[in-house]
């Protein structure tokens, strides 16, 4: 990708970054599912360096944003999408559970279903979401920014009593993100945000949940890195949503730069 096709995000500051995990193992993304030929590389898309036939195969970037309930994921997802769009990038902002009929069932079902049933419902919705929304957008060269993804399952379904290996296995055929952002914060900050906004789910209403989720997301970040996923951990205790969004945009810019090297 030439410099003119990259969004101009280089002026952004690197704020709120805790740690970026650079995978040591193989990336599990199945790029062949997402490949599509274009005459020119759209803004915000990445030419795959070893594409057969000369490097004109492109894909959008798949970015996921996870973290404890009430930490600010939805606010940050919207801010990241806005930041990228203002740089001229085509963005698909989405979330899980998805806005498909199955996703709506899963979202409503979080109060009723638990354990393995919930883990299966969430995973089924993820496959529908991938087929109907995420992969088609990526194939068009659109960058996908998704509010909650596999990290949420590795935390919430495990806290709900399902073995982590089982959750991982249920998600075995799901694409891994190009960048998994984990937004975390001090427990007391999360509890304050939840109190002022109100809880969304049974998880968030359980006493001591914020502390458990904070710890579990840190552990999940390590697990994903060991599995070869690029993870960016950000501390939102004192940073504004815009500052977090800029840090994510900088990390995305770095991926584009690497992809075009
Ligand atoms: N960086 C921030 N600084 C201060 N307040 C924030 C920040 N990010 C989000 N908030 C506020 O915290 C509350 C929770 O934010 P948000 O709904 O985005 O969290 P969430 O992680 O998506 O929650 P849930 O997991 O329940 O969907 C909202 O009132 C939001 O305005
Ligand atoms: C992706 C995902 C979601 N959930 C649950 C957690 C919440 O109850 C809802 C999402 O609503 P929110 O407003 O974003 O908090 O779905 C889950 O249990 N596991 C998952 O992987």
């Amino acid at each position: 990708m030439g410099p003119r096709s990259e969004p101009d995000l280089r002026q952004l500051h690197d704020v709120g970054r805790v740690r970026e995990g650079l995978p040591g193992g193989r990336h599990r993304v199945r790029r062949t599912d997402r490949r599509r030929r274009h005459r020119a590389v759209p803004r915000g898309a990445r030419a795959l360096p070893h594409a057969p036939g000369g490097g004109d195969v492109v894909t959008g970037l798949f970015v996921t944003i996870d973290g404890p309930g009430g930490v600010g994921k939805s606010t940050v997802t919207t801010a990241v999408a806005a930041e990228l769009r203002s740089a001229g990038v085509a963005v698909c902002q989405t979330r899980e559970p998805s806005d498909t009929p199955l996703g709506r069932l899963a979202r409503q079902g979080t109060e009723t279903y638990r354990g393995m049933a919930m883990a299966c419902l969430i995973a089924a919705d993820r496959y529908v979401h991938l087929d109907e929304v995420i992969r088609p957008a990526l194939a068009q060269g659109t960058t996908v920014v998704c509010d909650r993804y596999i990290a949420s399952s590795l935390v919430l379904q495990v806290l709900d009593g399902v073995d982590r290996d089982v959750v991982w296995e249920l998600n075995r055929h799901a694409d891994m993100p190009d960048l998994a952002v984990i937004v975390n914060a001090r427990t007391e900050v999360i509890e304050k945000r939840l109190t002022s906004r109100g809880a969304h789910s049974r998880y968030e209403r359980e006493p001591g949940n914020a502390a458990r989720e904070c710890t579990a997301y840190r552990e999940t970040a390590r697990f994903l890195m060991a599995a070869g996923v690029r993870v960016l951990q950000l501390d939102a205790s004192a940073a504004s949503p815009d500052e977090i969004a800029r840090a994510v945009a900088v990390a995305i810019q770095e991926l584009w730069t690497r992809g075009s090297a």
Side-chain angles (χ1 to χ4, degrees):
M1 186 189 307
R4 273 175 301 170
S5 62
E6 289 172 12
D8 185 15
L9 301 172
R10 272 162 286 202
Q11 75 279 13
L12 301 174
H13 305 295
D14 194 1
V15 177
R17 175 181 298 209
V18 172
R19 190 168 63 234
E20 182 181 14
L22 296 175
R26 274 184 68 78
H27 205 299
R28 290 177 65 232
V29 176
R30 285 185 242 317
R31 295 248 178 245
T32 46
D33 291 344
R34 315 195 201 156
R35 289 181 176 183
R36 178 186 162 134
R37 288 189 175 277
H38 293 254
R39 283 180 190 217
V41 178
R43 274 168 84 82
R46 184 170 57 167
L48 297 174
H50 304 299
D56 63 342
V57 174
V58 297
T59 178
L61 278 184
F62 181 24
V63 180
T64 57
I65 300 184
D66 287 277
V71 74
K73 296 177 295 299
S74 306
T75 310
V76 165
T77 302
T78 299
V80 169
E83 182 90 42
L84 295 176
R85 283 191 186 114
S86 73
V89 177
V91 177
C92 167
Q93 180 181 344
T94 187
R95 63 178 183 169
E96 289 197 352
S98 71
D99 291 307
T100 65
L102 187 57
R104 282 190 283 279
L105 180 69
R107 193 171 285 276
Q108 288 158 8
T110 55
E111 299 302 306
T112 315
Y113 304 117
R114 291 167 187 275
M116 194 60 186
M118 191 67 205
C120 291
L121 188 50
I122 290 282
D125 173 51
R126 185 157 296 139
Y127 290 115
V128 171
H129 192 205
L130 280 161
D131 279 348
E132 295 186 0
V133 179
I134 296 172
R135 287 176 185 148
L138 293 171
Q140 297 280 354
T142 299
T143 286
V144 173
V145 186
C146 184
D147 179 356
R148 286 195 186 274
Y149 195 63
I150 282 177
S152 287
S153 298
L154 290 167
V155 169
L156 296 175
Q157 275 55 68
V158 171
L159 287 175
D160 221 15
V162 183
D163 192 86
R164 186 172 66 182
D165 290 344
V166 174
V167 174
W168 189 238
E169 187 59 24
L170 282 172
N171 284 278
R172 186 147 70 99
H173 300 283
D175 298 359
M176 286 297 125
D178 295 299
L179 180 66
V181 179
I182 307 279
V183 181
N184 219 325
R186 292 197 306 276
T187 304
E188 65 272 20
V189 172
I190 294 172
E191 284 171 344
K192 204 168 153 197
R193 286 179 193 168
L194 273 177
T195 305
S196 70
R197 191 209 60 190
H200 274 178
S201 70
R202 67 179 162 88
Y203 307 106
E204 292 173 358
R205 284 191 288 275
E206 277 173 27
N209 180 66
R212 281 193 294 277
E213 283 199 31
C214 281
T215 305
Y217 274 103
R218 285 193 192 99
E219 165 60 22
T220 294
R222 286 193 290 272
F223 177 84
L224 288 173
M225 282 185 242
V229 179
R230 187 179 306 276
V231 176
L232 175 65
Q233 294 185 79
L234 298 168
D235 186 341
S237 303
S240 72
D242 283 348
E243 287 171 318
I244 299 287
R246 274 183 221 121
V248 175
V250 166
I252 290 171
Q253 173 68 41
E254 283 169 9
L255 285 181
W256 281 322
T257 306
R258 279 181 208 157
S260 64

